[in-house]
């Protein structure tokens, strides 16, 4: 019986180590792939996996960030509520979104190419808009919360101190230097 228990523990341990090694290897392979792909100029862009670097440009007219109201070519936002669960407290995501369905250009000295952010993994270095409050919400935030059916008032229509909210927005502004790694395809 002791032999079977040791064998089962060995199998479980080996399985956990194998799963960890697999995902760690995938992460390292992705990093290695990014390091080994040379940065292309847009004029000499080949179809397939490419790396580009250039400045962001709006396709038509710039967007407005829903929280900040600033002009940008891409935005991502999240709204969170401070919640208590027994003795613990934490921020709970209420809604998040972005302009993933609105393409924009990346331009270098040789030309420009359209970027489709729907399937992109977009990483930002810093938050462009960050606000924590439970009262005196700006009108654009009230509009956004009402459009998404987010409670921020109590039943007497007063601002509720229990509804402490956190608003975050990340932007890519026109002219920002961006790095893109993705698959170049012919326009349909």
């Amino acid at each position: 019986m002791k032999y079977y228990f040791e064998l089962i523990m060995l199998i479980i341990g080996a399985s956990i180590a194998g799963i960890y090694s697999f995902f760690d290897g995938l992460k390292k392979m992705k990093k290695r792939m990014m390091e080994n792909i040379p940065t292309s100029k847009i004029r000499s862009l080949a179809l397939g996996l490419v790396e580009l670097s250039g400045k962001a440009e709006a396709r038509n007219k710039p967007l407005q960030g829903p929280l900040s109201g600033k002009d940008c070519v891409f935005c991502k936002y999240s709204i969170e509520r401070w919640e208590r669960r027994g003795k613990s407290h934490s921020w709970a995501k209420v809604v998040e979104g972005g302009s993933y369905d609105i393409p924009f250009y990346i331009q270098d000295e040789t030309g420009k190419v359209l970027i489709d952010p729907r399937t992109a993994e977009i990483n930002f270095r810093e938050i462009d808009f960050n606000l924590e409050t439970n009262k005196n919400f700006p009108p654009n935030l009230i509009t956004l919360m009402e459009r998404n059916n987010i409670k921020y008032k109590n039943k007497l229509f007063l601002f509720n101190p229990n509804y402490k909210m956190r608003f975050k927005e990340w932007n890519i502004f026109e002219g920002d230097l961006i790095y893109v790694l993705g698959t170049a395809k012919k326009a349909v």
Side-chain angles (χ1 to χ4, degrees):
M1 188 70 164
K2 182 180 175 188
Y3 173 75
Y4 289 118
F5 178 74
E6 290 173 353
L7 182 63
I8 290 172
M9 294 307 291
L10 180 66
I11 291 171
I12 290 172
S15 298
I16 291 171
I19 291 170
Y20 173 79
S21 297
F22 175 75
F23 286 108
D24 187 51
L26 282 178
K27 188 169 77 173
K28 288 178 181 176
M29 186 177 78
K30 182 179 177 183
K31 182 180 178 194
R32 175 74 60 133
M33 184 176 65
M34 289 172 61
E35 292 171 349
N36 290 335
I37 296 174
T39 303
S40 301
K41 295 293 181 187
I42 291 174
R43 183 183 307 157
S44 58
L45 183 68
L47 297 181
L49 192 60
V50 295
E51 176 182 302
L52 301 171
S53 180
K55 293 184 178 184
E57 182 182 305
R59 184 174 185 188
N60 296 316
K61 60 178 184 165
L63 309 169
Q64 275 200 326
L67 305 179
S68 67
K70 295 180 181 177
D71 287 346
C72 58
V73 298
F74 178 83
C75 69
K76 173 183 160 185
Y77 67 90
S78 75
I79 301 174
E80 301 169 312
R81 179 181 291 126
W82 184 251
E83 292 186 352
R84 294 179 205 181
R85 291 190 185 106
K87 293 182 180 181
S88 68
H89 302 76
S90 65
W91 288 103
K93 194 164 289 184
V94 177
V95 69
E96 66 182 349
S99 60
Y100 292 97
D101 57 339
I102 302 172
F104 59 91
Y105 288 108
I106 181 172
Q107 180 175 13
D108 67 12
E109 62 276 0
T110 66
K112 65 182 176 182
V113 67
L114 195 61
I115 304 298
D116 183 359
R118 285 181 289 198
T119 57
E121 178 185 323
I122 300 176
N123 298 315
F124 297 90
R125 290 195 176 149
E126 58 190 49
I127 298 173
D128 295 301
F129 179 85
N130 191 8
L131 174 68
E132 282 184 30
T133 187
N134 60 358
K135 57 184 176 182
N136 301 329
F137 295 103
N140 62 325
L141 299 184
I142 290 174
T143 303
L144 186 64
M145 288 189 293
E146 288 174 348
R147 189 175 21 185
N148 288 290
N149 296 320
I150 299 171
K151 283 178 74 174
Y152 63 97
K153 294 181 186 178
N154 63 20
K155 292 178 182 176
L156 299 174
F157 300 101
L158 301 172
F159 290 111
N160 190 335
N162 296 325
Y163 291 142
K164 185 175 181 183
M165 307 289 285
R166 179 164 66 182
F167 303 88
K168 295 180 184 178
E169 183 178 279
W170 299 264
N171 303 98
I172 297 176
F173 297 107
E174 193 138 18
D176 279 357
L177 188 61
I178 60 173
Y179 165 85
V180 176
L181 175 68
T183 305
K185 300 176 186 175
K186 277 189 175 183
V188 181

